[in-house]
Amino acid sequence: MSDDKVKVVGGIQGHLLKLHAALSDGDTRDAALICHDIIGDLGQECMLTNSENELALHASLLFSKEDGLLNFLRKSLACEEVRDTRVETISLLDKFLQRISTNVKGWEKTYAIDIRDICLVVYTKDKAAKCKALTLDLLIKVLYLTKDSSIAQDLKVGKIFDKFYVELSYKNKIPDTVLSKIYELLGVLGEVHPSEMVNHSDKLYRAYLGELKHQMTSSTKEPKLTVVAGCLRGITALMVNFTKSMEDDPGTSKEIFEYTLKTISPQVEMSRYAVNFAGLRLLAKHAAQFSHLLMDHYRALFDVMSKLCGHINQEMKKTSYYALESFLKQVALLVAENVEEHKGKLKFFMQKFCAIIKTMDSTHKELSIAIRGYGFFAAPCKVVCPQDVDLMYTELIQRCKQMYLTESDGEEDNVYQLPSFLDSIASVLIHLDKIPEVYTPVLERLLVVQIDSFPQYSVRMQPTCTRAIIKVLVAMASKGPVFWSFISSVVHQGLIRVCSKPVVLPEVRGGVCRGFSNADWEMEGSLLSRLPGSIQGSLGL
């Protein structure tokens, strides 16, 4: 296209034409500056819209085979001065891919293979570690976003594995950030395409554990924490389909657990948390595979994860909470299998939870841990000491009353803990032989508060709120007709609150109302079906 036409065309297409034209500039330094500025402008313009039609149009321009960003990346590899712009371009593609994957139906059939191809080309030909690492990140994202797509076979996962597994043979020459991403990528292949990785999983485990042993047991060298984090992320992905539980492979499971335990309780203070995150996420996702190893280290695990739940880093706090919740859930199941044998462990946890709930200065996260813990351990408590379950219910109701029904200046964080609290109350309710009626009005008001605050929650959080409400209703309904009036009252008050809210029209795209998915409705329907027939009738079910 002529220079005159480039000047006339505006918008995203104009930016792309100028980008390609700049590469033809004889002065590569000037070209690098121009390209960098154009990518910045392009990024801003691409992030301005959420409309499906506009995003689809933008995608067709950005991924154009002639003037798109993928071709720009390929052509720019001959110019070292444009390396920073390549980094910005890959970052832009990563962000834009996330947007179109949730808004543009069928994007993968048109663009996924081309993105994979350019990732492999850039990784092979670009010498910069930062560019290589970002390229692998983009490739990992493509693999996750297309794992259930019809084009999965076209990605040629076997060839991707062969290419990057061979790279491990030269790992001493590969920068730590890149090696970390290679380890992660290989594990992700096992998670998203298990059928292609059946014959490779064992050698991947050997590679991971060999690297972790080398990094974490040396008495002369400091561990390369970035590489350790990559190995743990790879193992976390691989364990999804290729389990290494204590029943399957106790030796390997124990090795993985020991390395994970070291990463979440390091001997020295770290300024970066990638290793801690990786260890916590592994525990959060696969606690069930470590079974009795968790029981052997229950005190240390509880103490370190509880401490991390109060970490100054917000992401660390959130990740620690998920890991601790997964750990408590698994330990509670194991305790319930043999309560007599594990009485000491049960006593340890119940004392911890009770102390947190009775302490008025406890943080929201601490309270959430303790209250969730009550819900998890209600079943084994019923076996050992039924009156303790009555006490748990009383303490939960009183604490929730203090947090939600008596504080005039309730903090916003409190509202976001309420679904977890109601879930735990329901878990305890199930195991009560007799419900203290004096607290029934309090529970009724708590459910109404949850219904009333429903619009404050994000779309992702709303199904959790719904499940918590229904779980309490199901638990109460199981106690007989005497509590049906409780449910009727909650429904009546809830309808009043709902009908008093302003009507918010649902977002419609392509003639389809975007609300709950079919899976969401099926799940809620299965819960609602457990309510007594008379109540289902009153609700119009």
Coordinates of all heavy atoms in Angstrom, one line a residue, residues 201 204-206 208-210 212-213 216 231-236 238-239 242-246 249-264 278-279 282-283 286 289-290 293:
S201 N 4.1 -38.9 30.6 CA 3.9 -38.4 32.0 C 5.0 -38.9 32.9 O 5.5 -38.1 33.7 CB 2.5 -38.8 32.5 OG 2.4 -40.2 32.6
L204 N 8.2 -37.0 32.5 CA 8.1 -35.6 33.0 C 8.2 -35.6 34.5 O 8.9 -34.7 35.0 CB 6.7 -35.1 32.5 CG 6.7 -34.3 31.2 CD1 5.3 -33.7 31.0 CD2 7.7 -33.2 31.1
Y205 N 7.6 -36.5 35.2 CA 7.7 -36.5 36.6 C 9.2 -36.7 37.0 O 9.7 -36.0 38.0 CB 6.9 -37.6 37.3 CG 5.5 -37.2 37.5 CD1 4.4 -37.8 36.9 CD2 5.2 -36.2 38.5 CE1 3.1 -37.5 37.1 CE2 3.9 -35.8 38.7 CZ 2.8 -36.5 38.0 OH 1.5 -36.1 38.3
R206 N 9.9 -37.6 36.3 CA 11.3 -37.8 36.6 C 12.1 -36.5 36.4 O 13.0 -36.1 37.2 CB 11.9 -38.9 35.8 CG 11.4 -40.3 36.2 CD 12.3 -41.4 35.6 NE 12.1 -41.4 34.1 CZ 11.2 -42.1 33.5 NH1 10.4 -42.9 34.2 NH2 11.2 -42.1 32.2
Y208 N 10.9 -33.4 36.5 CA 10.5 -32.4 37.6 C 11.2 -32.7 38.9 O 11.8 -31.8 39.5 CB 9.0 -32.4 37.8 CG 8.2 -31.8 36.7 CD1 7.1 -32.4 36.2 CD2 8.6 -30.6 36.2 CE1 6.3 -31.8 35.2 CE2 7.8 -30.0 35.1 CZ 6.7 -30.6 34.7 OH 5.9 -30.1 33.7
L209 N 11.1 -33.9 39.3 CA 11.7 -34.3 40.6 C 13.2 -34.2 40.6 O 13.8 -33.9 41.6 CB 11.2 -35.7 41.1 CG 9.7 -35.7 41.3 CD1 9.3 -37.2 41.6 CD2 9.3 -34.8 42.5
G210 N 13.8 -34.6 39.5 CA 15.3 -34.4 39.4 C 15.7 -33.0 39.5 O 16.7 -32.7 40.2
L212 N 14.0 -30.5 41.0 CA 13.7 -30.1 42.3 C 14.8 -30.6 43.3 O 15.2 -29.8 44.2 CB 12.3 -30.5 42.8 CG 11.1 -29.8 42.1 CD1 9.8 -30.4 42.5 CD2 11.1 -28.3 42.4
K213 N 15.2 -31.8 43.1 CA 16.2 -32.3 44.0 C 17.5 -31.6 43.8 O 18.2 -31.2 44.8 CB 16.4 -33.8 43.7 CG 17.5 -34.5 44.6 CD 17.6 -36.0 44.3 CE 18.6 -36.6 45.2 NZ 18.7 -38.1 44.9
M216 N 16.9 -28.0 45.4 CA 16.5 -27.8 46.8 C 17.3 -28.6 47.8 O 17.1 -28.4 49.0 CB 15.0 -28.1 46.9 CG 14.2 -27.2 46.0 SD 12.4 -27.4 46.2 CE 12.1 -26.6 47.8
C231 N 8.7 -25.7 38.0 CA 8.5 -27.1 38.2 C 7.3 -27.4 38.9 O 6.5 -28.3 38.6 CB 9.7 -27.7 38.9 SG 11.2 -27.9 37.9
L232 N 7.0 -26.6 40.0 CA 5.8 -26.8 40.8 C 4.5 -26.5 40.0 O 3.5 -27.2 40.1 CB 5.9 -26.0 42.1 CG 6.9 -26.4 43.1 CD1 7.0 -25.4 44.2 CD2 6.7 -27.8 43.6
R233 N 4.6 -25.5 39.2 CA 3.4 -25.2 38.3 C 3.2 -26.3 37.3 O 2.1 -26.7 37.1 CB 3.6 -23.9 37.6 CG 3.5 -22.6 38.5 CD 3.4 -21.4 37.7 NE 4.5 -21.1 36.9 CZ 5.6 -20.3 37.3 NH1 5.6 -19.8 38.5 NH2 6.6 -20.1 36.5
G234 N 4.3 -26.9 36.8 CA 4.2 -28.0 35.8 C 3.6 -29.2 36.5 O 2.7 -29.9 36.0
I235 N 4.1 -29.5 37.7 CA 3.6 -30.7 38.5 C 2.1 -30.5 38.8 O 1.3 -31.4 38.7 CB 4.4 -30.9 39.7 CG1 5.8 -31.4 39.4 CG2 3.7 -31.9 40.7 CD1 6.7 -31.5 40.6
T236 N 1.7 -29.3 39.2 CA 0.3 -29.0 39.5 C -0.6 -29.3 38.3 O -1.7 -29.9 38.5 CB 0.1 -27.5 39.9 OG1 1.0 -27.3 41.0 CG2 -1.3 -27.2 40.3
L238 N 0.2 -31.3 35.7 CA 0.3 -32.7 35.3 C -0.5 -33.6 36.2 O -1.1 -34.6 35.8 CB 1.8 -33.1 35.3 CG 2.2 -34.4 34.7 CD1 1.8 -34.4 33.2 CD2 3.7 -34.7 34.8
M239 N -0.6 -33.2 37.5 CA -1.3 -34.1 38.5 C -2.8 -34.1 38.3 O -3.5 -34.9 38.8 CB -1.0 -33.6 39.9 CG 0.4 -33.9 40.4 SD 0.8 -33.3 42.0 CE -0.2 -34.4 43.1
F242 N -2.7 -37.1 35.6 CA -1.8 -38.2 35.9 C -1.5 -38.1 37.4 O -0.5 -37.5 37.8 CB -0.5 -38.0 35.0 CG -0.8 -38.1 33.6 CD1 -1.0 -36.9 32.8 CD2 -1.0 -39.3 32.9 CE1 -1.2 -36.9 31.5 CE2 -1.3 -39.3 31.5 CZ -1.4 -38.1 30.8
T243 N -2.4 -38.7 38.2 CA -2.3 -38.5 39.6 C -1.1 -39.2 40.2 O -0.6 -40.2 39.7 CB -3.6 -39.1 40.3 OG1 -3.7 -40.4 39.9 CG2 -4.8 -38.3 39.8
K244 N -0.6 -38.7 41.3 CA 0.4 -39.3 42.1 C 0.0 -39.3 43.6 O 0.7 -38.8 44.4 CB 1.7 -38.5 41.9 CG 2.4 -38.7 40.5 CD 2.8 -40.1 40.3 CE 3.4 -40.3 38.9 NZ 3.8 -41.7 38.6
S245 N -1.1 -39.9 43.8 CA -1.6 -40.0 45.2 C -0.8 -41.0 46.0 O 0.0 -41.8 45.4 CB -3.1 -40.4 45.2 OG -3.2 -41.7 44.7
M246 N -1.0 -41.0 47.3 CA -0.4 -42.0 48.2 C -0.8 -43.4 47.8 O 0.0 -44.4 48.0 CB -0.7 -41.7 49.6 CG 0.0 -40.5 50.2 SD 1.8 -40.6 50.2 CE 2.0 -41.8 51.5
D249 N 1.1 -43.9 43.9 CA 2.6 -43.9 43.9 C 3.1 -43.2 45.2 O 3.4 -42.1 45.1 CB 3.1 -43.2 42.6 CG 4.6 -43.4 42.4 OD1 5.3 -43.7 43.4 OD2 5.1 -43.1 41.3
P250 N 3.1 -43.9 46.3 CA 3.5 -43.3 47.6 C 4.9 -42.6 47.6 O 5.0 -41.5 48.2 CB 3.4 -44.4 48.6 CG 3.5 -45.7 47.8 CD 2.9 -45.4 46.5
G251 N 5.8 -43.2 46.9 CA 7.2 -42.6 46.8 C 7.2 -41.3 46.2 O 7.7 -40.3 46.7
T252 N 6.6 -41.2 45.0 CA 6.6 -39.9 44.2 C 5.7 -38.9 44.9 O 6.1 -37.7 45.0 CB 6.0 -40.2 42.8 OG1 6.9 -41.1 42.1 CG2 6.0 -38.9 42.0
S253 N 4.6 -39.3 45.5 CA 3.7 -38.4 46.2 C 4.4 -37.8 47.4 O 4.3 -36.6 47.6 CB 2.4 -39.2 46.7 OG 1.5 -38.3 47.3
K254 N 5.2 -38.6 48.1 CA 5.9 -38.1 49.3 C 7.0 -37.1 48.9 O 7.1 -36.1 49.5 CB 6.5 -39.3 50.0 CG 7.2 -38.8 51.4 CD 7.7 -40.0 52.1 CE 8.3 -39.6 53.4 NZ 8.9 -40.7 54.2
E255 N 7.7 -37.4 47.8 CA 8.7 -36.4 47.3 C 8.1 -35.1 46.9 O 8.6 -34.0 47.3 CB 9.4 -37.0 46.0 CG 10.6 -37.9 46.3 CD 11.4 -38.1 45.1 OE1 12.3 -37.3 44.7 OE2 11.1 -39.1 44.4
I256 N 7.0 -35.1 46.2 CA 6.3 -33.9 45.7 C 5.8 -33.1 47.0 O 6.0 -31.9 47.1 CB 5.1 -34.2 44.8 CG1 5.6 -34.8 43.5 CG2 4.3 -32.9 44.5 CD1 4.5 -35.4 42.6
F257 N 5.3 -33.8 47.9 CA 4.8 -33.2 49.1 C 5.9 -32.5 49.9 O 5.8 -31.4 50.4 CB 4.1 -34.2 50.0 CG 3.6 -33.6 51.3 CD1 2.4 -32.9 51.3 CD2 4.3 -33.8 52.5 CE1 1.9 -32.3 52.5 CE2 3.8 -33.2 53.7 CZ 2.6 -32.5 53.7
E258 N 7.0 -33.2 50.1 CA 8.1 -32.6 50.8 C 8.7 -31.4 50.2 O 9.0 -30.4 50.9 CB 9.2 -33.7 51.0 CG 8.8 -34.8 52.0 CD 9.9 -35.9 52.0 OE1 10.8 -36.0 51.1 OE2 9.8 -36.8 52.9
Y259 N 8.8 -31.4 48.9 CA 9.3 -30.2 48.2 C 8.3 -29.0 48.3 O 8.7 -27.9 48.5 CB 9.6 -30.5 46.7 CG 10.8 -31.4 46.5 CD1 10.7 -32.5 45.7 CD2 12.0 -31.1 47.1 CE1 11.8 -33.3 45.4 CE2 13.1 -32.0 46.9 CZ 13.0 -33.1 46.1 OH 14.0 -33.9 45.9
T260 N 7.0 -29.4 48.2 CA 6.0 -28.4 48.4 C 6.0 -27.8 49.7 O 5.8 -26.5 49.9 CB 4.6 -29.0 48.1 OG1 4.6 -29.6 46.8 CG2 3.5 -28.0 48.1
L261 N 6.1 -28.6 50.8 CA 6.2 -28.1 52.1 C 7.3 -27.1 52.3 O 7.2 -26.1 53.0 CB 6.3 -29.3 53.1 CG 6.1 -29.0 54.6 CD1 4.8 -28.4 54.9 CD2 6.3 -30.3 55.4
K262 N 8.5 -27.4 51.7 CA 9.6 -26.5 51.8 C 9.3 -25.2 51.2 O 9.8 -24.1 51.7 CB 10.8 -27.2 51.2 CG 11.5 -28.3 52.0 CD 12.7 -28.8 51.2 CE 13.4 -29.9 52.0 NZ 14.6 -30.4 51.3
T263 N 8.6 -25.2 50.1 CA 8.3 -23.9 49.4 C 7.4 -23.0 50.1 O 7.4 -21.8 50.0 CB 7.8 -24.1 48.0 OG1 6.5 -24.8 48.0 CG2 8.8 -25.0 47.2
I264 N 6.4 -23.6 50.9 CA 5.5 -22.7 51.6 C 6.0 -22.3 53.0 O 5.4 -21.5 53.6 CB 4.1 -23.4 51.7 CG1 4.1 -24.6 52.6 CG2 3.5 -23.7 50.3 CD1 2.7 -25.2 52.9
A278 N 3.4 -21.0 44.0 CA 3.3 -22.3 43.3 C 3.1 -23.4 44.3 O 2.3 -24.3 44.0 CB 4.6 -22.5 42.5
G279 N 3.7 -23.4 45.4 CA 3.5 -24.4 46.4 C 2.1 -24.4 47.0 O 1.4 -25.5 47.1
L282 N -0.4 -25.7 44.4 CA -0.3 -27.2 44.3 C -1.1 -27.8 45.4 O -1.9 -28.7 45.2 CB 1.1 -27.6 44.3 CG 1.4 -29.0 43.8 CD1 2.9 -29.2 43.4 CD2 1.2 -30.1 44.9
L283 N -1.0 -27.3 46.6 CA -1.7 -27.9 47.8 C -3.2 -27.6 47.6 O -4.1 -28.5 47.9 CB -1.2 -27.3 49.1 CG 0.0 -27.9 49.7 CD1 0.4 -27.2 51.0 CD2 -0.3 -29.4 50.1
H286 N -4.5 -30.1 44.9 CA -4.3 -31.5 45.0 C -4.1 -32.0 46.4 O -3.5 -33.1 46.6 CB -3.0 -31.9 44.1 CG -3.2 -31.5 42.7 ND1 -4.1 -32.1 41.9 CD2 -2.4 -30.7 41.9 CE1 -4.0 -31.6 40.6 NE2 -3.0 -30.7 40.7
Q289 N -4.7 -35.7 47.1 CA -3.7 -36.7 46.7 C -2.6 -37.0 47.7 O -1.9 -38.0 47.6 CB -3.0 -36.3 45.3 CG -4.0 -36.2 44.2 CD -3.3 -36.2 42.8 OE1 -2.3 -36.9 42.6 NE2 -3.8 -35.3 41.9
F290 N -2.5 -36.1 48.7 CA -1.5 -36.3 49.7 C -2.0 -37.0 51.0 O -1.2 -37.4 51.8 CB -0.8 -35.0 50.1 CG -0.2 -34.3 48.9 CD1 -0.6 -33.1 48.5 CD2 0.9 -35.0 48.2 CE1 0.0 -32.5 47.4 CE2 1.5 -34.3 47.2 CZ 1.1 -33.1 46.8
L293 N -0.2 -37.8 54.4 CA 0.9 -36.9 54.6 C 0.4 -35.6 55.3 O 1.2 -35.0 56.0 CB 1.6 -36.6 53.3 CG 2.3 -37.8 52.6 CD1 2.7 -37.4 51.2 CD2 3.5 -38.2 53.5

